Amino acid sequence: MRFPKAEPLVGFLRAKPLNTAKPLNTGEVSLKVFIISRGYPSDKYVTNGIFEFDQAKALAEAGHQVVFLAVDLRSIRRKRKFGRESFEKNGVFVEAINVPCGKIPQGLLRAVRKTALKKLYKSCEKKYGKPDIIHSHFLEISYTAAQVLSGKNIPMVMTEHLSALNNKVISQKLIDTGKNTYRFYDKVITVGDNLAKSLEKNFGVSSVIIPNVADTETFSLNLNNKKTDGSSVNNLRIISVGSLIKRKNMDLLIKAFARLHSIKPASYLDIYGKGVEKENLQELISSKGLKDFAVLHGAKSRKEIAEKMAEADFFALASSVETFGVVYIEALSAGLPVVAAISGGPENFVDESNGILVEADNEDKFFEALLKMSESYRSYDRKAISENIAKTYSPSAVAEKLTALYKEISV
């Protein structure tokens, strides 16, 4: 596959010298893992590279040496330090190159990413030593990682999260990229059953299912909260978290809630997230006369959302396509029963013991589920819901699965 020349970029990437990070732990550590990511989470952009970084933290807590290589090509509007960065965060050594590109032709974007990753990897190998494992996340940057790193005789793993691969029709561009990516990896991980089936069907790839990490410490059951046992409840509080984009179906949720509210006027819907649909959703809320009952709160930190979950009666999200659905897991970890649409993710972990699953893109069914949950949420065993999630999705549980896979392919 041919790439446009990217030599003019070299000067920019050299312009920022490598900062000095804290030396690696000298104690006994199982493996040295280089994580390849599209960016890292910051105070301003808390979800940027969050799935990758959560796993990196879990691996570091499990005793591995983890270096997080981030190539961030978002546009100049995403305010951050441009060029090289080097620092330690939560026991993870972050090494980043930030190049403002935005929406440029794919061939040029790939050339920039390839040049950046080459330089980033070279400096990291010099600084930290050769890794035992390279672990990349998401298709596009994994494509570049395969081009740059597959000839280095280092075991390579990638995790696929891409929701577009769960669509009924997958674009030819994605098919071509996948065919030129997955074959370079010793193991491909998917985060759910539907995504695993998609890779098997469309690419002939047999993947290993390892879920995303849930922050089970932040999202934990609050036994002191009055909502925990359903006592002293004067109103019904529903919480939803997700990007305000089409596939999250927040409009369907609001419409279904409006019908519920007409029956149960002391009910409230709190939505957390940001996105391009905000204005349309606000107009919908106003048109339904729900201004004081359905509120768009914007994006909040995990800590803030966890605090609001502790005040809620149940969680609801009508998303039409998910590869995993970490927000459902966070709600369950907080002990909340959930209402979810069958969308490729929630059906892997939502059942009658912790929630209600309904057909996707069906307002009538979703309304019926909201109504049923509004009358039955007190009957769920919230402690059992929270404990069962921790067994599979806690950082230690996921790190254990990843460690076993790493050791299997590094033998």
Side-chain angles (χ1 to χ4, degrees), residues 181-198:
T181 301
Y182 301 128
R183 62 191 176 92
F184 289 101
Y185 289 86
D186 297 284
K187 287 288 183 181
V188 175
I189 298 169
T190 46
V191 294
D193 289 337
N194 279 40
L195 194 53
K197 290 174 184 175
S198 175

Side-chain angles (χ1 to χ4, degrees), residues 238-262:
I238 305 167
I239 189 169
S240 186
V241 182
S243 299
L244 307 185
I245 57 177
K246 285 287 187 184
R247 70 177 176 86
K248 293 296 182 179
N249 273 353
M250 289 297 186
D251 57 340
L252 187 151
L253 171 61
I254 292 167
K255 290 173 185 176
F257 171 73
R259 294 166 67 177
L260 176 70
H261 187 265
S262 69

Side-chain angles (χ1 to χ4, degrees), residues 29-68:
V29 181
S30 296
L31 294 167
K32 186 185 298 176
V33 185
F34 279 16
I35 305 287
I36 311 295
S37 173
R38 68 228 150 105
Y40 64 84
S42 63
D43 291 340
K44 186 172 180 62
Y45 303 106
V46 295
T47 61
N48 188 39
I50 190 67
F51 300 134
E52 303 95 297
F53 196 76
D54 279 347
Q55 281 198 3
K57 284 193 299 181
L59 290 166
E61 288 168 4
H64 298 294
Q65 294 181 339
V66 183
V67 184
F68 195 84

